[in-house]
Amino acid sequence: MSIMVTPGADGRFGEFGGRFVPETLIPACQELEAAFNDAWADPSFRKELDEVLHEYAGRPSNITECHNLSEQLGIRLILKREDLNHTGSHKINNVIGQTLLAKRMGKKRIVAETGAGQHGVASATAAALMGLDCKVYMGAVDVARQELNVFRMKLLGSDVEAVISGSQTLKDAVNEAMRDWVATVESTHYCLGSVMGPHPYPYMVRQFHRVIGDEAYAQCNDLLGTNPDVVVACVGGGSNAMGIFSGFIDTSARLIGVEPAGGAAVGRGQPGVVHGMKSYLMQDEYGQVQEAHSISAGLDYPGVGPEHSYLASIGRTEYPTVTDDEVINAFQVMSRAEGIIPALECAHAMAWIIREAHTMKGKTVLMNLSGRGDKDVGQMMGILDGLK
Amino acid sequence: MTGRLETALRARIDGGGKCLVPYITGGYPGWVESIRACAANGADAVEIGIPFSDPVMDGPIIQQASQVSLDAGTTPISILQEVRTLDVGIPLAVMCYYNTVFHAGEKRFASDLAAAGVSAAIIPDLPLEESTDWTAAADAAGIETVMLAAPTAPDERLPRVTERARGFVYSVGLLGVTGERTSLAGTATALAARVKKVTEKPVLVGVGVSNAEQAVEASRVADGVIMGASVVRRMIEGGPDAVGAYVREVREALDSTAW
């Protein structure tokens, strides 16, 4: 029997998950749950989804064996190349799925939140493809950090609103997207960008991303004749990690979700409720949600998807942290050794592998390279100049 | 057993009047005096907001007041300590987001409210399906849990929501978050009428009821109104005196209308 949970009507993964949203959104969540279950079971929807992912997004993504880093680290390192997808990250899998579903439900408009801009760009891209209006909420701090992605979204025809409330980062962008959805729920689909939020989002988004793990499982089997020993991914909300973990959850592989030291929801948080879900959450002694601090806007999130909380609680997955300094180093190491510039988010996974390689000598390590680092080179240029 | 909040609202309704429940953000400078001003000027109860870092049901004005309050060091405990000393003669309800309750522990939070003399709680991100643990603790502690009815609710859902409501039923005035609007949304009276059909409990319209005229309009169908952003804006701009004058104005408009 699989460890993977298919949540019932209560949306629970163990004690985590659920649907903690204002009454106004309950019918919309129920409608979405029914529409997703119906579509997911419909062969014509699955065929259309597969076709768009293949012809438009470029799936299946390759795996790449990293010979140089493998030699340096004394492990066998394999990358799952989600960075090669259209728009440069894994986020496209989910937004293609959700926008096809939105059209099927008769919605004319989507709203999305974004941190680094990867999900925002992917949403704007899918909206352009599908002919939907799109508004992206992005914390004002992130707008400043990721101005090229803001321009990309506008170029793709989306509105981008800088969110000036709270910490002005990803969690506040989620709040503002939810406020928009409360007001526009009849015409609008909320295209949530990670395995978080109220039921059915954590389950639905994981299903849209499990293609990563399913492909990687088959590809590793072809290459290795067996599973990798360790599967590593970075975790903010946790969508790329749930995607790749899905393919290996019932194998003997260690599953490692790497969190930023300043945003370690699983590592340092306690169970709490925000953004519609019960999950591990960074909060103060009164339950006020704390601000995450990370070099990577995409991981600047104080919570984590509820399925991660569940998998952590049963001991199936591990959630170590890495520091910004380790990430800056890993970003450069990977670029020079392999000619691949990773997104700062994935550089967290790489940083953990570099630090822990000595404990994994001779092991096969599969890392989800969930996005490319082009969006981060401006920020890194400033950081590296500052270090000189 | 009927709680203090419902008893007070029923007294107003049975006397042929309409209920007025202003909202005050707890911990904002002048909040205690503002509650006194509400009570002295004809409010039937006061809803006290416990500020939360991520208030998804609130628009800019209440977000701003919440942030100022949090920045000043307000905590749920500091609010309840002051509430305990309030003796304003009308029931008090708290409005808070669910993590404040969950983090404290449902039983502890319910007993803390009761110990502070609070009559009721409104938790806007705790819908019916998730409310069981809280309502069990609240019922045991004698705290009335106000449930929200939304314009999007299908007919089959409304009776289940109103059945679970204590104190009153909070009929959400529009699709959207708290904040002032230039006119009352058509959904406000439409939903209030649907809710009134399925319950004998007091039905108050809140969210988007922005002035005396709109309060009267909503009360033509409902048993009264909750007024949030328009009250908090006056607290921000003019302090407790401005709150008192505004509550008096709305009270007089409600009292001078023939129902």
Side-chain angles (χ1 to χ4, degrees):
Chain A
M1 206 184 97
S2 176
I3 294 175
M4 289 289 271
V5 171
T6 300
D10 65 355
R12 288 300 199 280
F13 300 88
E15 66 176 294
F16 300 102
R19 186 179 276 157
F20 297 86
V21 291
E23 262 293 312
T24 301
L25 294 179
I26 291 289
C29 289
Q30 290 172 336
E31 180 196 9
L32 180 62
E33 179 188 0
F36 173 71
N37 286 334
D38 182 69
W40 197 246
D42 178 354
S44 71
F45 178 84
R46 297 291 288 276
K47 182 165 178 285
E48 186 179 9
L49 174 61
D50 287 348
E51 281 172 5
V52 178
L53 288 178
H54 175 62
E55 293 169 11
Y56 185 75
R59 300 211 74 88
S61 67
N62 294 336
I63 58 169
T64 297
E65 184 151 12
C66 294
H67 297 287
N68 300 332
L69 274 172
S70 294
E71 194 178 321
Q72 286 176 29
L73 296 171
I75 59 175
R76 187 170 182 187
L77 179 63
I78 298 163
L79 302 177
K80 177 62 173 165
R81 299 294 304 278
E82 292 298 299
D83 62 317
L84 297 180
N85 295 335
H86 182 43
T87 73
S89 83
H90 72 292
K91 296 287 187 189
I92 195 79
N93 306 326
N94 173 42
V95 299
I96 295 287
Q98 284 202 44
T99 51
L100 281 174
L101 190 60
K103 283 189 75 163
R104 189 178 161 106
M105 295 169 70
K107 305 287 184 184
K108 307 283 185 227
R109 174 178 180 263
I110 60 169
V111 290
E113 82 295 338
T114 199
Q118 285 177 317
H119 176 61
V121 168
S123 296
T125 301
L129 177 68
M130 307 284 177
L132 297 164
D133 290 335
C134 176
K135 181 161 190 176
V136 179
Y137 291 93
M138 187 170 188
V141 169
D142 295 334
V143 167
R145 284 199 280 200
Q146 298 285 350
E147 60 178 349
L148 273 178
N149 269 342
V150 174
F151 179 70
R152 278 191 189 97
M153 290 182 260
K154 289 179 176 170
L155 198 59
L156 290 159
S158 286
D159 285 338
V160 180
E161 184 163 323
V163 176
I164 54 168
S165 59
S167 61
Q168 309 190 359
T169 60
L170 181 53
K171 85 176 174 74
D172 309 285
V174 175
N175 291 338
E176 209 56 41
M178 287 186 81
R179 291 183 186 116
D180 182 309
W181 196 33
V182 167
T184 60
V185 61
E186 287 168 337
S187 65
T188 297
H189 171 70
Y190 180 13
C191 187
L192 229 167
S194 192
V195 286
M196 46 163 286
H199 182 57
Y201 283 100
Y203 167 61
M204 176 176 75
V205 176
R206 180 254 277 173
Q207 293 297 79
F208 283 138
H209 279 307
R210 65 173 303 151
V211 64
I212 304 169
D214 290 341
E215 284 176 9
Y217 177 86
Q219 289 165 326
C220 284
N221 217 35
D222 286 347
L223 179 71
L224 308 168
T226 183
N227 305 310
D229 300 304
V230 187
V231 177
V232 188
C234 61
V235 173
S239 67
N240 91 79
M242 271 323 305
I244 199 155
F245 288 176
S246 296
F248 299 94
I249 202 141
D250 295 318
T251 73
S252 58
R254 277 179 77 190
L255 304 178
I256 310 286
V258 183
E259 295 188 300
V266 186
R268 303 214 184 123
Q270 296 170 273
V273 175
V274 78
H275 296 154
M277 62 183 172
K278 184 180 291 182
S279 197
Y280 284 111
L281 179 66
M282 289 169 55
Q283 50 193 316
D284 73 9
E285 61 187 300
Y286 303 106
Q288 305 293 356
V289 181
Q290 291 183 316
E291 295 171 15
H293 295 286
S294 161
I295 190 173
S296 143
L299 302 184
D300 245 357
Y301 185 64
V304 68
E307 193 168 10
H308 285 291
S309 294
Y310 167 69
L311 291 170
S313 74
I314 64 168
R316 178 64 189 94
T317 49
E318 303 163 54
Y319 297 87
T321 63
V322 294
T323 65
D324 284 353
D325 287 346
E326 290 175 303
V327 171
I328 291 165
N329 176 58
F331 186 90
Q332 299 171 86
V333 166
M334 187 170 209
S335 301
R336 285 179 199 163
E338 297 293 340
I340 295 172
I341 300 175
L344 272 172
E345 289 76 20
C346 326
H348 286 67
M350 191 68 236
W352 180 84
I353 292 168
I354 291 170
R355 191 178 74 204
E356 302 296 330
H358 69 279
T359 68
M360 303 187 287
K361 292 285 183 198
K363 304 277 191 195
T364 305
V365 179
L366 173 67
M367 172 183 143
N368 197 21
L369 183 60
S370 60
R372 66 180 180 225
D374 302 47
K375 68 181 176 56
D376 299 314
V377 293
Q379 187 189 350
M380 281 302 291
M381 190 164 68
I383 289 169
L384 295 177
D385 279 350
L387 289 178
K388 275 178 191 161
Chain B
M1 196 187 79
T2 305
R4 273 180 296 171
L5 176 58
E6 183 171 346
T7 301
L9 299 181
R10 280 202 186 282
R12 173 71 72 181
I13 296 163
D14 291 346
K18 295 292 182 178
C19 303
L20 173 57
V21 179
Y23 168 97
I24 296 290
T25 300
Y28 189 87
W31 70 284
V32 169
E33 287 313 308
S34 294
I35 291 171
R36 293 189 197 284
C38 291
N41 286 282
D44 296 292
V46 175
E47 181 184 340
I48 303 169
I50 298 180
F52 180 55
S53 53
D54 295 79
V56 291
M57 262 306 285
D58 288 309
I61 289 178
I62 293 179
Q63 280 180 47
Q64 181 197 338
S66 296
Q67 194 61 50
V68 168
S69 176
L70 286 173
D71 291 346
T74 298
T75 68
I77 291 171
S78 70
I79 288 178
L80 293 181
Q81 276 170 347
E82 293 217 50
V83 166
R84 188 192 291 264
T85 66
L86 273 174
D87 186 14
V88 287
I90 56 173
L92 301 173
V94 298
M95 182 283 205
C96 62
Y97 287 86
Y98 180 58
N99 200 45
T100 303
V101 179
F102 178 73
H103 192 80
E106 267 114 358
K107 285 182 182 164
R108 188 184 129 199
F109 193 75
S111 65
D112 285 354
L113 292 185
V118 171
S119 300
I122 304 169
I123 310 174
D125 59 344
L126 190 67
L128 185 64
E129 288 79 0
E130 302 286 1
S131 66
T132 319
D133 291 348
W134 162 251
T135 51
D139 289 353
I143 298 295
E144 299 163 85
T145 301
V146 173
M147 300 297 284
L148 287 83
T152 50
D155 285 339
E156 61 80 22
R157 186 174 178 83
L158 288 180
R160 292 190 286 127
V161 170
T162 58
E163 172 66 28
R164 187 41 259 184
R166 304 288 182 271
F168 65 90
V169 180
Y170 193 126
S171 183
V172 176
L174 47 75
L175 289 180
V177 294
T178 60
E180 294 176 274
R181 311 294 200 279
T182 50
S183 62
L184 190 72
T187 50
T189 46
L191 177 65
R194 288 175 62 210
V195 177
K196 287 288 289 177
K197 268 191 205 160
V198 299
T199 186
E200 297 294 314
K201 289 166 187 160
V203 176
L204 274 60
V205 176
V207 184
V209 183
S210 312
N211 56 40
E213 188 188 342
Q214 292 179 26
V216 168
E217 194 182 341
S219 297
R220 291 199 186 282
V221 178
D223 298 311
V225 291
I226 305 121
M227 303 184 78
S230 61
V231 174
V232 172
R233 180 168 61 78
R234 283 167 176 84
M235 178 167 70
I236 292 171
E237 292 173 358
D241 290 348
V243 170
Y246 178 58
V247 170
R248 167 65 43 196
E249 177 197 339
V250 179
R251 179 79 268 161
E252 284 172 357
L254 291 173
D255 286 354
S256 62
T257 304
W259 302 106

